[in-house]
Amino acid sequence: VSDSATGKNSLKNIKLVKNEHGCFKVWDMPSPENIKRRYLVAVDVGGRSKKSDYSVIRVFDRYYMMDGGVPEIVAHWRGHIDHDKLAWLAAIIATYYNNALLSIEVNTLVTEGTEGDHGEFILDEVSDIYTNLYLREGSAQNIREGAPRKYGWFTSRQSKQKIIDDMVRTLREDGYIERDGEAVDEFLVFEKKDDGTFGAVEGNHDDIVMTTMIGSYICYDFSNFPLPEIIIVKANKEYSKERVRSYSDF
């Protein structure tokens, strides 16, 4: 909970309150350590009705990646909610986790004919208050050329195949730590269809899988999201301390 469900005040006085009907699971609280780029919050946008796909928010902790380890899931939200409230809820959770990088999957928000066809403004609205938002690949160059910023992850046929291939490798190499049993259940029914597309076995969901694949891909995309750094505060100045890596790391 916070001072408001949406808007500027939503990021003030954030605290957790136990609720037996709540949708938010927490395994590790945010660390007070001053580490830059430690947390990532990935979001998959679902529908608002109880029969539609779920919206999912997952928090990745990249702390152990500084020493050759893997990211781990430390918090998880899954439920049905209006899209504008979902974006603000994700920003609240990202703020709570040390102003984490926030990546919201934007397909539902920008595709006409879905429940989100009215929501193109949502990310721009949130970006006025919460600034640590994920920019789509290639967006930096476009911005330099004067184009508007494009926030969020867009799942195209190409990018979906890319994150699936990346997740196959990640699972094979124990590349992240899972904490939620529902995520495991979804991975067990995620399949390649006869037409070559991927998704859940009919009657099941793949919302957690999609969120995990997007988040895991970004965690390892060091060119756009470098490894975490320890920030040393000294004499009223901040210094970034890069970890010194050795050949044994590679």
Side-chain angles (χ1 to χ4, degrees), residues 22-40:
C23 299
F24 192 41
K25 302 175 184 179
V26 176
W27 291 275
D28 276 329
M29 300 291 282
S31 171
E33 292 182 86
N34 201 5
I35 298 177
K36 191 176 182 179
R37 297 187 298 269
R38 174 168 181 169
Y39 295 104
L40 166 71

Side-chain angles (χ1 to χ4, degrees), residues 1-2 4-6 10-11 14 87-97:
V1 298
S2 61
S4 175
T6 62
S10 68
L11 307 186
I14 301 169
W88 285 110
L89 176 60
I92 291 170
I93 293 172
T95 299
Y96 190 69
Y97 276 89

